[in-house]
Amino acid sequence: MDSLYLNMLFTLFIIFVSFAYYKLAKKYNITDVPNERSSHQTITIRGGGIIFPIAIIFFFLVFDFQYPYFLIGLILTAIISFLDDIFTLKNSIRIVVHLVSIVLIVYQIEMSGMNLIWFLPLVFFATGLINIFNFMDGINGLTGLYATTVISAMLYVNYFQSTFIDNHFLLFTLISLLVFCFYNVRKKALFFAGDIGSLSIGLIILFSLGTLITKTENFIYIFFILVYLLDGGITILERFFIHKENIFKPHKKHLYQLLVDKKGFSHLKTAGCFAISQAVMSASVIYFNSKSNTLIPVLLLVALYLFIYILIKASILKKISL
């Protein structure tokens, strides 16, 4: 089948699936009810991110059953996450499934021969990383716009610089994200990604990024997710080591939450700032990677991002404490 027609067919398919899920979730009351830790005020359908794993299943069936171990890991996490969206499961159950999924992804990327000394830290780091995508899914537009930025950067690299994965894997993911954005990038969202959406897109990005880094042997591409690493990672470390908190408990200490709840920024303005910041960083990585000296200018830019992040967050927290 011609690639253009296939892309059109997939687009129509994922539009139909998203609409069908919206209707079913509305009928069976699969909703997110706001509480004191929420950044939204109205009851909203959750689990709309179910279209992300469905997009990958479509890809798997059409393109010669590629990346089977990754798909198994994705489906395991998607199922347990969807059940958690409905019933709320124990953290231990979810983490075990996440770890199994990450091991399957590492095996798919062909890192299985890695020394155990590096293998175990990598698995735990990757598990933390996909949970950062979950923790950062708290306001309208953030997951959709940010993930669109990340996938677009990798799609550019795949097309124009270094082919590391099947183009349709990234393209179908991007299309599903754009459809999701139709429902979510609104002042009043029609549905949220839910755990199934945030964790699934986290796994998809992790697998794509891991494949890119492995194939190119260039770790610089990790900065395609720098903004999430800063806000998610620093907040986790701050809560765990400074405040001695359970990092899985709901809170409002991420920068994006402080901007919305303390500074009065709108959801979409905050989400747009995060996505644009990441787009600038990703474009810089792509540009400098085409030059002979990549590392120094990129690391200087990372340091600048870190300084700005700490400065903004510290200023907000200082005003709160006064």
Side-chain angles (χ1 to χ4, degrees):
M1 184 183 294
D2 182 85
S3 181
L4 177 60
Y5 288 117
L6 179 60
N7 293 339
M8 291 174 62
L9 175 64
F10 171 75
T11 302
L12 292 173
F13 167 74
I14 211 68
I15 288 173
F16 169 77
V17 170
S18 65
F19 182 74
Y21 177 78
Y22 175 74
K23 290 296 184 182
L24 286 171
K26 199 171 184 179
K27 180 178 179 180
Y28 293 104
N29 197 34
I30 305 174
T31 56
D32 187 288
V33 180
N35 55 42
E36 70 278 3
R37 298 294 185 182
S38 302
S39 293
H40 60 282
Q41 305 299 322
T42 58
I43 297 175
T44 307
I45 291 170
R46 69 193 308 179
I50 194 172
I51 63 176
F52 305 146
I54 288 175
I56 301 305
I57 292 171
F58 185 99
F59 164 83
F60 177 78
L61 295 174
V62 173
F63 288 96
D64 301 323
F65 312 109
Q66 295 185 69
Y67 319 129
Y69 297 106
F70 162 72
L71 181 66
I72 294 170
L74 178 64
I75 290 174
L76 286 175
T77 293
I79 290 172
I80 204 72
S81 300
F82 190 64
L83 291 175
D84 191 48
D85 278 331
I86 299 174
F87 303 113
T88 305
L89 304 176
K90 292 182 179 179
N91 288 331
S92 57
I93 296 174
R94 294 188 292 113
I95 291 299
V96 168
V97 174
H98 296 170
L99 286 169
V100 171
S101 299
I102 294 300
V103 170
L104 287 167
I105 288 176
V106 171
Y107 185 81
Q108 184 71 73
I109 299 175
E110 299 179 353
M111 294 180 178
S112 54
M114 183 184 298
N115 190 299
L116 192 63
I117 294 175
W118 295 107
F119 177 78
L120 291 178
L122 175 65
V123 168
F124 283 106
F125 170 76
T127 303
L129 190 59
I130 64 167
N131 278 280
I132 283 176
F133 275 83
N134 189 23
F135 297 153
M136 294 294 290
D137 181 41
I139 59 173
N140 298 352
L142 184 54
T143 293
L145 293 177
Y146 188 83
T148 296
T149 299
V150 176
I151 293 295
S152 297
M154 287 192 281
L155 193 59
Y156 179 90
V157 171
N158 205 47
Y159 266 118
F160 300 109
Q161 292 190 339
S162 179
T163 301
F164 63 93
I165 201 168
D166 191 305
N167 275 321
H168 281 92
F169 181 90
L170 296 173
L171 188 58
F172 285 2
T173 301
L174 182 60
I175 292 171
S176 67
L177 280 165
L178 294 176
V179 172
F180 173 76
C181 285
F182 170 79
Y183 290 90
N184 186 255
V185 184
R186 297 164 177 259
K187 186 175 182 180
K188 183 179 179 181
L190 296 178
F191 61 45
F192 297 146
D195 284 358
I196 186 174
S198 58
L199 287 164
S200 291
I201 200 63
L203 278 174
I204 292 168
I205 288 174
L206 177 68
F207 171 64
S208 305
L209 198 56
T211 304
L212 172 58
I213 292 170
T214 303
K215 292 286 180 68
T216 61
E217 298 182 347
N218 191 345
F219 195 73
I220 205 76
Y221 290 114
I222 191 64
F223 298 127
F224 275 178
I225 55 170
L226 174 66
V227 174
Y228 264 25
L229 284 175
L230 286 178
D231 199 16
I234 291 176
T235 303
I236 288 174
L237 294 174
E238 173 191 338
R239 294 185 67 213
F240 186 79
F241 289 106
I242 298 177
H243 301 293
K244 311 297 182 183
E245 296 175 356
N246 182 342
I247 61 171
F248 294 103
K249 293 284 187 181
H251 66 96
K252 283 192 170 185
K253 294 181 178 177
H254 287 292
L255 178 58
Y256 78 86
Q257 293 169 317
L258 294 173
L259 288 172
V260 169
D261 297 314
K262 303 302 179 182
K263 295 293 289 183
F265 282 32
S266 70
H267 286 213
L268 298 187
K269 181 178 180 180
T270 303
C273 287
F274 271 63
I276 291 170
S277 298
Q278 184 58 65
V280 171
M281 185 69 221
S282 298
S284 300
V285 169
I286 291 170
Y287 172 76
F288 287 118
N289 199 45
S290 65
K291 306 298 180 182
S292 57
N293 190 354
T294 305
L295 192 59
I296 293 177
V298 170
L299 289 181
L300 287 173
L301 190 57
V302 170
L304 176 62
Y305 270 58
L306 176 61
F307 174 75
I308 293 172
Y309 172 83
I310 293 174
L311 186 66
I312 294 173
K313 193 169 186 178
S315 67
I316 297 174
L317 292 173
K318 184 178 179 180
K319 288 181 180 179
I320 293 173
S321 62
L322 291 178

